[in-house]
Amino acid sequence: MRRGDEALSGGGSTLEASGVGFMYDGARTKAVSSVTVAIRPGTLTSLLGPNGSGKSTLLKLLAGGLDPVEGSVALDGRDLDHWKPRALARILGVVPQIEHVPFPVAVHDLVAMGRYPHLGPWRSPGAADRDAVERALERCGVGPLADRPFQSLSGGERQRVRIARALAQDPRVLLLDEPTASLDMRYEMSIFRLLDGLRTEEAVSVLVVTHNVNLAARFSDRVMLMKEGRMAFEGVPDEVVTPNCIQAVYDWPALVVQQAFAEGSAPQVFPR
Ligand code: ADP
């Protein structure tokens, strides 16, 4: 039984885009065109591609932050337009690439905001909410920063706090846009291990936009390679992380070798 099948019987959520596309105002071409993808329970999917290939736009379409000009996005078979925002926020967690937090706030309080969609009519947090916040802080290694003002943190610390807020939300689907961009090797590995644990232990459906082809190949069930707004290649890492696919997408020749890891063997890419 594949991980995804196992998770489906446990009641995970599936996020699907069908022929989805988007064009920014004033643009001459679509930033995303005719993309069909499914993010299934208990799987980790990596979305890769050169700068400007449409990854962030696709993630925003999947998150309901942009309305598609073609196609549709559905969560558990229901179009995103038909979900009440709070019900959607109880299932779908998003860590955007860029975020401005315009007000002074302590790390703990920012992470606790992830619980809002779960709070009852009086909006006061209970024991389960407090536990979720503590666990999220601890899992992202930001417990010691809990009392610090968010604004005083480094880029990498902020990144981990934003991931903690999404985890506190306890989502069944988690979308992350370059979550490890400003993290050093240790934290980058710990975030991929964390995402690995979320899919295997909690059947979360995870989509991560990343430039780290090698960690994507090592940890992902599926890899998607975008180019010029279209899905150029999609499949298991061994099908997609190949010299031909990598060169076709990045316009750079690549050497690909199989490397054994604790998680199993994975193709690893070296630019030639
Ligand atoms: P990626 O995440 O792969 O770097 P994006 O989805 O950010 O790609 O961008 C895809 C295309 O859409 C690029 O050509 C980019 O310049 C354009 N684009 C992105 N955001 C905007 C915007 N707010 N307004 C106009 N064009 C945009």
Side-chain angles (χ1 to χ4, degrees):
M1 190 191 276
R2 287 182 305 126
R3 280 191 191 120
D5 298 338
E6 198 174 16
L8 269 175
S9 58
S13 282
T14 299
L15 184 65
E16 285 173 285
S18 311
V20 82
F22 187 79
M23 185 137 113
Y24 289 100
D25 283 346
R28 280 193 283 158
T29 54
K30 288 182 190 154
V32 168
S33 191
S34 303
V35 169
T36 295
V37 295
I39 315 299
R40 299 191 190 284
T43 63
L44 171 53
T45 303
S46 288
L47 179 55
L48 302 167
N51 298 128
S53 57
K55 303 179 299 294
S56 290
T57 305
L58 178 59
L59 186 129
K60 287 175 195 159
L61 287 164
L62 287 165
L66 292 174
D67 283 329
V69 295
E70 62 184 13
S72 59
V73 180
L75 176 65
D76 292 334
R78 200 194 315 168
D79 198 290
L80 287 189
D81 286 345
H82 298 150
W83 282 83
K84 293 209 170 84
R86 232 172 136 229
L88 191 62
R90 280 198 286 269
I91 297 179
L92 185 59
V94 184
V95 181
Q97 191 180 1
I98 300 165
E99 189 177 13
H100 186 51
V101 178
F103 46 89
V105 61
V107 164
H108 178 279
D109 297 347
L110 189 72
V111 173
M113 285 176 194
R115 294 304 300 167
Y116 276 6
H118 294 280
L119 300 182
W122 305 107
R123 299 283 193 270
S124 57
D129 299 304
R130 284 191 288 274
D131 284 352
V133 172
E134 293 308 321
R135 181 142 190 265
L137 286 165
E138 187 239 317
R139 288 175 105 179
C140 294
V142 290
L145 306 176
D147 296 327
R148 291 264 304 272
F150 178 74
Q151 272 74 7
S152 74
L153 304 182
S154 73
E157 290 166 339
R158 288 182 191 204
Q159 195 73 324
R160 286 184 286 130
V161 168
R162 293 166 60 234
I163 297 168
R165 182 183 52 188
L167 293 189
Q169 196 180 333
D170 208 8
R172 280 192 266 157
V173 180
L174 181 59
L175 310 178
L176 310 101
D177 198 347
E178 294 193 34
T180 63
S182 43
L183 301 187
D184 63 39
M185 187 168 64
R186 172 168 161 244
Y187 282 122
E188 189 169 33
M189 276 301 289
S190 69
I191 293 301
F192 269 91
R193 287 243 155 94
L194 180 64
L195 300 179
D196 185 24
L198 288 173
R199 60 131 174 224
T200 45
E201 288 151 28
E202 298 172 35
V204 178
S205 320
V206 185
L207 175 73
V208 58
V209 174
T210 178
H211 282 298
N212 195 325
V213 184
N214 289 338
L215 288 185
R218 180 170 162 187
F219 284 100
S220 304
D221 299 287
R222 317 274 314 166
V223 171
M224 305 192 299
L225 289 179
M226 284 189 85
K227 184 174 190 181
E228 293 166 3
R230 293 183 178 271
M231 194 57 72
F233 303 101
E234 197 272 342
V236 299
D238 282 333
E239 289 169 336
V240 172
V241 182
T242 64
N244 286 347
C245 294
I246 294 294
Q247 175 156 6
V249 168
Y250 289 101
D251 288 325
W252 196 269
L255 173 73
V256 176
V257 297
Q258 279 290 327
Q259 175 66 43
F261 294 104
E263 304 82 25
S265 170
Q268 298 287 286
V269 176
F270 299 92
R272 280 193 187 272

